[in-house]
């Protein structure tokens, strides 16, 4: 494997070098399968079935997917734990895991995987960014920090609404396409832009 | 489904955390009888309002019919006047009947949901209302399968 001399924290990253992988269902077929798989949790929290899931989540995934594919982002649906491990075979500098966290486990399309199992899927030599778009995965983050020192982990210490993050990533990849910045800088700049917009909205509403 | 019934159901869905997508680390809220009672009270309030609206619409329909009959008798020698009065009355009646039909559909849905509140567990009521709300309010569209 070729090693880039510039660390990923300072390397310019383009959308085509990133992968966005969904562990939660994004299609009707995967949603209905998730209802039957024991251990999966996220789809079962939607009491109104597919019509509710589509209106509140899958529609946003559809809206965001086409522009992201046009930017060159690799999108993976129905991610299994095995599929997650396979993502590290091609050295993407940034891997975004978009999924659900429950009781120290991450949801994949084939069931929940413990923090230890997810850690085992990340190669020891991986020196890219693992962007965990799952809520408060503190056990996994602690294990990654300790046992995968080369891996930079971005995580959410609070609960996150998926529709917000879908549009956040849309803005992030647009920013990465338009600017020659690192992934971490792009996250910081887009987050600041979102906060400024939110504050401007609050000021206007007063 | 009318906007008012949709608002009533939306306020219930908001209280049971089903109006917005679940967070990526949250747990499903536990439901209680109080949730069903909240829905029942909201639906009964809405039903009283709709019943009053039905009475108003029927009275309006009768009054319009009587007024049209009176004007037609008064202007029976003028073909133009008869045509204008008949056309206007027919259009207005169609509008009122369409409004009544929507109220009637809402009334049927509310009767069903009120009955469900009495006989089903809070969890089953939540499943029913959530399915009904999202199927009834979302426009028909081709969805990816």
């Amino acid at each position: 494997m070729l090693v880039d001399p510039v660390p990923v924290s300072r390397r310019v990253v383009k959308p085509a070098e990133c992968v966005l992988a969904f562990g939660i269902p994004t299609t009707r077929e995967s949603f209905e399968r998730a209802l039957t798989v024991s251990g999966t949790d996220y789809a079962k929290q939607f009491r109104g079935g597919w019509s509710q899931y589509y209106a509140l989540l899958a529609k946003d995934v559809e809206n965001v997917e086409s522009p992201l594919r046009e930017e060159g982002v690799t999108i993976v649906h129905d991610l299994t734990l095995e599929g997650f491990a396979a993502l590290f075979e091609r050295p993407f500098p940034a891997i975004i895991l978009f999924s659900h966290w429950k009781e120290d486990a991450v949801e994949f399309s084939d069931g929940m995987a413990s923090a230890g199992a997810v850690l085992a899927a990340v190669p020891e030599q991986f020196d890219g960014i693992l962007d965990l778009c799952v809520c408060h995965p503190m056990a996994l983050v602690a294990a990654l920090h300790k046992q995968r020192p080369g891996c930079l982990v971005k995580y959410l210490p609070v609960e996150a609404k998926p529709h917000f993050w879908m549009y956040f990533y849309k803005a992030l990849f647009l920013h990465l396409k338009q600017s020659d910045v690192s992934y971490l800088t792009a996250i910081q700049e887009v987050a600041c832009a979102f906060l400024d917009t939110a504050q401007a909205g609050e000021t206007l509403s007063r | 489904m009318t906007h008012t019934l949709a608002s009533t159901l939306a306020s219930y869905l908001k209280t049971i955390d089903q109006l917005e997508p679940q967070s990526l680390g949250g747990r499903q809220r536990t439901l209680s009888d109080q949730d069903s009672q909240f829905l029942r009270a909201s639906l009964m309030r809405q039903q009283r309002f709709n019943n009053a609206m039905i009475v108003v619409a029927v009275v309006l329909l009768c009054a319009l019919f009587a007024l049209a009959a009176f004007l037609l008798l008064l202007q029976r020698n003028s073909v133009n006047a008869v045509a204008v009065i008949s056309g206007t009355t027919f259009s207005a009646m169609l509008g009122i009947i369409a409004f009544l039909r929507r109220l009637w559909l809402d009334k049927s849905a509310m009767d069903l949901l009120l009955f469900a509140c009495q006989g089903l567990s809070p969890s089953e009521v939540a499943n029913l209302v959530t399915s009904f709300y999202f199927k009834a309010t979302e426009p028909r569209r081709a969805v990816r399968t």
Side-chain angles (χ1 to χ4, degrees):
Chain A
M1 189 170 74
L2 291 172
V3 178
D4 197 317
V6 182
V8 74
S9 57
R10 287 190 280 125
R11 198 187 309 161
V12 172
V13 172
K14 289 295 171 189
E17 299 172 279
C18 303
V19 59
L20 175 59
F22 292 95
I24 54 173
T26 48
T27 62
R28 184 170 197 152
E29 189 186 36
S30 57
F31 175 80
E32 285 169 359
R33 193 172 55 244
L35 295 180
T36 61
V37 173
S38 65
T40 58
D41 181 65
Y42 192 65
K44 290 167 189 161
Q45 292 190 16
F46 289 76
R47 294 178 174 276
W50 170 251
S51 56
Q52 181 192 18
Y53 195 80
Y54 180 78
L56 299 182
L57 190 140
K59 187 172 69 177
D60 289 322
V61 175
E62 271 188 14
N63 289 342
V64 168
E65 184 174 349
S66 298
L68 292 192
R69 281 195 189 279
E70 283 170 19
E71 311 294 355
V73 180
T74 303
I75 311 274
V76 179
H77 295 283
D78 300 338
L79 184 72
T80 59
L81 182 59
E82 197 181 333
F84 177 66
L87 293 177
F88 296 94
E89 288 170 10
R90 181 182 154 190
F92 289 106
I95 295 174
I96 302 159
L97 176 60
F98 199 102
S99 197
H100 175 57
W101 175 266
K102 185 193 173 193
E103 293 166 1
D104 287 352
V106 180
E107 180 166 336
F108 289 94
S109 75
D110 52 351
M112 303 298 285
S114 66
V118 177
L119 176 70
V122 181
E124 285 182 18
Q125 70 276 18
F126 179 66
D127 62 353
I129 295 166
L130 183 55
D131 186 341
L132 295 172
C133 191
V134 297
C135 290
H136 43 69
M138 305 316 292
L140 177 59
V141 173
L144 283 165
H145 280 158
K146 193 174 175 186
Q147 297 185 44
R148 302 290 182 270
C151 171
L152 284 176
V153 186
K154 181 233 143 190
Y155 63 98
L156 308 171
V158 292
E159 291 205 347
K161 292 290 184 185
H163 54 324
F164 169 82
W165 287 103
M166 285 308 306
Y167 291 98
F168 179 86
Y169 284 113
K170 186 181 174 187
L172 176 71
F173 286 121
L174 187 66
H175 189 51
L176 283 173
K177 184 191 175 188
Q178 291 173 342
S179 317
D180 290 333
V181 291
S182 70
Y183 188 84
L184 297 181
T185 305
I187 282 189
Q188 192 179 3
E189 288 173 355
V190 172
C192 287
F194 269 53
L195 285 172
D196 288 346
T197 308
Q199 282 168 356
E202 276 180 17
T203 310
L204 278 173
S205 65
R206 276 178 200 153
Chain B
M1 184 158 63
T2 60
H3 177 68
T4 47
L5 177 57
S7 305
T8 303
L9 297 183
S11 65
Y12 167 71
L13 293 181
K14 197 170 182 182
T15 63
I16 63 167
D17 294 339
Q18 289 291 319
L19 194 59
E20 288 195 348
Q22 305 297 311
S23 64
L24 293 169
R27 293 179 181 199
Q28 197 172 48
R29 181 180 176 280
T30 312
L31 298 172
S32 67
D33 286 335
Q34 280 186 328
D35 296 311
S36 295
Q37 280 168 8
F38 171 81
L39 174 66
R40 190 174 156 76
S42 304
L43 285 173
M44 287 178 79
R45 199 166 45 243
Q46 183 65 45
Q47 202 174 38
R48 277 196 297 273
F49 175 77
N50 276 22
N51 286 343
M53 292 303 290
I54 288 172
V55 171
V56 168
V58 170
V59 168
L60 201 63
L61 202 65
C62 295
L64 192 66
F65 181 78
L67 180 68
F70 172 73
L71 289 174
L72 283 172
L73 284 173
L74 202 69
Q75 300 291 329
R76 61 184 178 278
N77 294 327
S78 165
V79 177
N80 283 347
V82 168
V84 168
I85 293 165
S86 303
T88 311
T89 308
F90 184 69
S91 305
M93 281 182 166
L94 272 185
I96 294 170
I97 288 167
F99 177 62
L100 270 172
R101 181 180 166 273
R102 284 177 62 194
L103 287 177
W104 194 257
L105 289 172
D106 270 13
K107 186 174 163 50
S108 306
M110 281 190 281
D111 285 345
L112 172 76
L113 294 173
L114 278 169
F115 182 72
C117 285
Q118 288 175 320
L120 299 177
S121 68
S123 175
E124 288 168 326
V125 171
N127 292 351
L128 174 70
V129 174
T130 312
S131 301
F132 176 74
Y133 177 84
F134 282 97
K135 281 191 175 129
T137 55
E138 281 301 299
R140 300 234 178 259
R141 72 189 88 192
V143 296
R144 187 176 60 184
T145 56

